[in-house]
Coordinates of all heavy atoms in Angstrom, one line a residue:
L1 N -2.1 8.0 -6.7 CA -0.7 8.3 -7.2 C -0.6 8.3 -8.7 O 0.5 8.0 -9.2 CB 0.3 7.3 -6.5 CG 0.4 7.3 -5.0 CD1 1.2 6.1 -4.5 CD2 0.9 8.6 -4.5
W2 N -1.7 8.5 -9.4 CA -1.7 8.4 -10.8 C -0.7 9.3 -11.5 O -0.1 9.0 -12.5 CB -3.1 8.6 -11.4 CG -3.2 8.3 -12.8 CD1 -3.3 9.2 -13.9 CD2 -3.2 7.0 -13.4 NE1 -3.3 8.5 -15.0 CE2 -3.3 7.2 -14.8 CE3 -3.1 5.7 -12.9 CZ2 -3.3 6.1 -15.7 CZ3 -3.1 4.7 -13.8 CH2 -3.2 4.8 -15.2
H3 N -0.5 10.5 -11.0 CA 0.4 11.5 -11.5 C 1.8 11.3 -11.2 O 2.7 11.9 -11.8 CB -0.1 12.9 -11.2 CG -1.5 13.2 -11.7 ND1 -1.8 13.3 -13.1 CD2 -2.7 13.3 -11.1 CE1 -3.0 13.6 -13.2 NE2 -3.6 13.6 -12.0
D4 N 2.1 10.5 -10.2 CA 3.5 10.2 -9.8 C 3.9 8.9 -10.4 O 3.3 7.8 -10.1 CB 3.5 10.1 -8.2 CG 4.9 9.8 -7.8 OD1 5.9 9.9 -8.5 OD2 5.1 9.3 -6.6
R5 N 4.8 8.9 -11.4 CA 5.1 7.7 -12.1 C 5.6 6.6 -11.3 O 5.1 5.4 -11.4 CB 6.1 8.1 -13.2 CG 6.5 7.0 -14.1 CD 7.4 7.4 -15.2 NE 7.8 6.3 -16.0 CZ 9.0 6.0 -16.5 NH1 10.0 6.8 -16.2 NH2 9.2 5.0 -17.2
I6 N 6.6 6.8 -10.4 CA 7.1 5.8 -9.6 C 6.1 5.3 -8.6 O 5.9 4.0 -8.4 CB 8.4 6.3 -8.8 CG1 9.5 6.6 -9.8 CG2 8.8 5.2 -7.8 CD1 10.7 7.3 -9.2
G7 N 5.3 6.1 -8.0 CA 4.2 5.7 -7.1 C 3.1 4.9 -7.8 O 2.7 3.9 -7.2
R8 N 2.8 5.3 -9.0 CA 1.8 4.5 -9.7 C 2.2 3.1 -10.0 O 1.5 2.2 -9.8 CB 1.4 5.3 -11.0 CG 0.5 4.6 -11.9 CD 0.1 5.3 -13.2 NE 1.4 5.5 -14.0 CZ 1.7 6.7 -14.6 NH1 0.9 7.7 -14.5 NH2 2.8 6.7 -15.3
W9 N 3.5 3.0 -10.5 CA 4.0 1.7 -10.9 C 4.2 0.8 -9.6 O 4.0 -0.4 -9.7 CB 5.2 1.8 -11.7 CG 4.9 2.1 -13.1 CD1 5.1 3.4 -13.8 CD2 4.2 1.3 -14.1 NE1 4.6 3.3 -15.0 CE2 4.0 2.1 -15.3 CE3 3.8 0.0 -14.0 CZ2 3.4 1.5 -16.4 CZ3 3.2 -0.5 -15.2 CH2 3.0 0.3 -16.3
S10 N 4.6 1.4 -8.6 CA 4.8 0.7 -7.3 C 3.5 0.1 -6.8 O 3.4 -1.0 -6.4 CB 5.4 1.6 -6.2 OG 6.7 2.0 -6.6
A11 N 2.5 1.0 -6.8 CA 1.1 0.6 -6.3 C 0.6 -0.5 -7.2 O -0.1 -1.4 -6.8 CB 0.2 1.8 -6.2
L12 N 0.7 -0.3 -8.6 CA 0.2 -1.3 -9.5 C 0.9 -2.6 -9.4 O 0.3 -3.7 -9.4 CB 0.4 -0.8 -10.9 CG -0.3 -1.5 -12.0 CD1 -1.8 -1.5 -11.8 CD2 0.0 -0.8 -13.4
T13 N 2.2 -2.6 -9.1 CA 2.9 -3.8 -8.9 C 2.4 -4.5 -7.6 O 2.2 -5.8 -7.6 CB 4.5 -3.5 -8.8 OG1 4.9 -2.9 -10.0 CG2 5.2 -4.8 -8.5
A14 N 2.2 -3.8 -6.6 CA 1.7 -4.3 -5.3 C 0.3 -4.9 -5.5 O 0.0 -6.0 -5.0 CB 1.7 -3.3 -4.2
A15 N -0.6 -4.2 -6.2 CA -1.9 -4.7 -6.5 C -2.0 -6.0 -7.3 O -2.7 -7.0 -7.0 CB -2.7 -3.6 -7.2
V16 N -1.1 -6.0 -8.3 CA -1.1 -7.3 -9.1 C -0.5 -8.4 -8.3 O -0.9 -9.6 -8.5 CB -0.3 -7.0 -10.4 CG1 0.0 -8.2 -11.2 CG2 -1.0 -6.0 -11.3
S17 N 0.5 -8.1 -7.5 CA 1.1 -9.2 -6.7 C 0.1 -9.7 -5.7 O 0.0 -10.9 -5.5 CB 2.3 -8.7 -5.9 OG 3.3 -8.2 -6.8
I18 N -0.7 -8.9 -5.2 CA -1.7 -9.3 -4.2 C -2.8 -10.2 -4.9 O -3.2 -11.2 -4.4 CB -2.4 -8.1 -3.5 CG1 -1.4 -7.5 -2.6 CG2 -3.7 -8.5 -2.8 CD1 -1.8 -6.1 -2.0
L19 N -3.2 -9.8 -6.1 CA -4.1 -10.6 -6.8 C -3.6 -12.0 -7.2 O -4.3 -12.9 -7.3 CB -4.6 -9.9 -8.1 CG -5.5 -8.7 -7.9 CD1 -5.8 -8.0 -9.2 CD2 -6.8 -9.2 -7.2
A20 N -2.3 -12.0 -7.4 CA -1.6 -13.3 -7.8 C -1.5 -14.2 -6.6 O -1.6 -15.5 -6.7 CB -0.3 -13.1 -8.4
I21 N -1.3 -13.7 -5.4 CA -1.1 -14.4 -4.2 C -2.4 -14.8 -3.5 O -2.4 -15.9 -2.8 CB -0.2 -13.7 -3.2 CG1 1.2 -13.5 -3.8 CG2 -0.1 -14.3 -1.9 CD1 2.1 -12.6 -3.1
A22 N -3.4 -14.0 -3.6 CA -4.7 -14.2 -2.9 C -5.3 -15.6 -3.0 O -5.7 -16.2 -2.0 CB -5.7 -13.2 -3.3
P23 N -5.3 -16.2 -4.2 CA -5.9 -17.6 -4.3 C -5.2 -18.6 -3.5 O -5.8 -19.6 -3.1 CB -5.8 -17.9 -5.8 CG -5.7 -16.6 -6.5 CD -5.0 -15.7 -5.6
F24 N -3.9 -18.4 -3.3 CA -3.1 -19.4 -2.6 C -3.2 -19.2 -1.1 O -2.8 -20.0 -0.3 CB -1.6 -19.4 -3.0 CG -1.5 -19.6 -4.5 CD1 -1.2 -18.6 -5.4 CD2 -1.7 -20.9 -5.0 CE1 -1.1 -18.9 -6.8 CE2 -1.6 -21.2 -6.4 CZ -1.3 -20.2 -7.3

């Protein structure tokens, strides 16, 4: 979704959230 601005930011937010939650 790199060319879709909203999709890119949504996916990036989800990925960062998953990385933050995974250790716990």
Side-chain angles (χ1 to χ4, degrees):
L1 299 172
W2 189 253
H3 298 292
D4 179 16
R5 183 176 178 222
I6 295 173
R8 176 181 60 224
W9 283 106
S10 298
L12 191 59
T13 303
V16 170
S17 299
I18 290 169
L19 286 177
I21 292 171
F24 303 105

